[in-house]
Amino acid sequence: MQSGPPALLCTVVALICLGSNNVESADVPTVFKKEGESVTVECKFSVSYTYYMMYWYRQPSSGEMIYVINIHSQNKHSREGRYSVEFYKPNQMLKLTISALTLSDSAIYFCAVREFHGEGSD
């Protein structure tokens, strides 16, 4: 019995930046991967905040926006299950890696940045 063609994962990264800071626009690539593989997607941004939170969200074909993972600007790495995120502060680059891909990972991936106010801050 012949198996069908391998399933592909379609990943698109779009950048959403909350606030009035500059966002670098670029052509957004589409990445195709097979189930079981890993993929890394990245976004680059420019903010003037001292402290900020960065988030990854995914939007499957159903249209709902689903939280994936976040990281604080003072951290370099974060991991939750199959998702890991790395932050390169000098060039404000955020990378999301998804391991052991499944068809349900097919989605549009968004990163978002917001200013962070800790306890005792305005």
Side-chain angles (χ1 to χ4, degrees), residues 5-93:
L8 297 176
L9 169 80
C10 179
T11 307
V12 178
V13 179
L15 176 63
I16 295 176
C17 196
L18 306 178
S20 59
N21 287 278
N22 294 328
V23 174
E24 293 184 18
S25 61
D27 290 331
V28 178
T30 301
V31 179
F32 295 94
K33 292 287 185 175
K34 295 178 184 174
E35 286 186 276
E37 293 182 340
S38 294
V39 67
T40 299
V41 292
E42 60 187 43
C43 74
K44 188 173 173 78
F45 55 90
S46 176
V47 295
S48 59
Y49 308 138
T50 302
Y51 300 104
Y52 45 97
M53 294 293 294
M54 296 153 288
Y55 302 85
W56 280 99
Y57 293 90
R58 57 191 293 275
Q59 186 177 30
S61 58
S62 65
E64 64 183 311
M65 191 68 77
I66 301 168
Y67 164 81
V68 174
I69 191 170
N70 71 50
I71 189 169
H72 187 275
S73 58
Q74 299 303 105
N75 297 332
K76 293 181 180 181
H77 304 281
S78 182
R79 181 173 196 87
E80 292 179 24
R82 297 181 304 116
Y83 302 106
S84 63
V85 65
E86 292 181 84
F87 176 51
Y88 302 90
K89 192 167 191 163
N91 59 355
Q92 293 184 313
M93 174 76 69

